[in-house]
Amino acid sequence: MRASYSSIRTPAQLGLLLQGYRKELELSQTTAASKVGLSQKTVSALENHTDRCSLNSLFKLLSALDLELVLQPRSAGKPSDHEW
């Protein structure tokens, strides 16, 4: 399992990271979804269209992948990504 932390600043980055963790755990979208009462379509949407998904679904998938969300201030000196 990955021991490092990843900085995420865009929905696309989040989707790719979620997909990477799921694959690392050797879980199909269907299997990950069934662990927490989501549909396979919702897991696919979280991985491919994260900006269109609910926070509730995101937290369910994080639970299925045994991940947690940690918020922290950006490190000083790092460029800001103003996609929004």
Side-chain angles (χ1 to χ4, degrees), residues 28-76:
S28 68
Q29 289 180 343
T30 301
T31 303
S34 69
K35 290 177 73 170
V36 290
L38 295 173
S39 69
Q40 176 274 326
K41 284 179 144 181
T42 300
V43 173
S44 178
L46 282 161
E47 292 178 357
N48 296 294
H49 306 287
T50 309
D51 56 327
R52 299 182 200 159
C53 295
S54 74
L55 283 175
N56 188 49
S57 295
L58 172 61
F59 276 95
K60 285 183 177 184
L61 183 57
L62 290 172
S63 177
L65 301 177
D66 199 27
L67 297 172
E68 64 182 3
L69 179 65
V70 177
L71 301 177
Q72 64 183 31
R74 290 185 183 177
S75 300

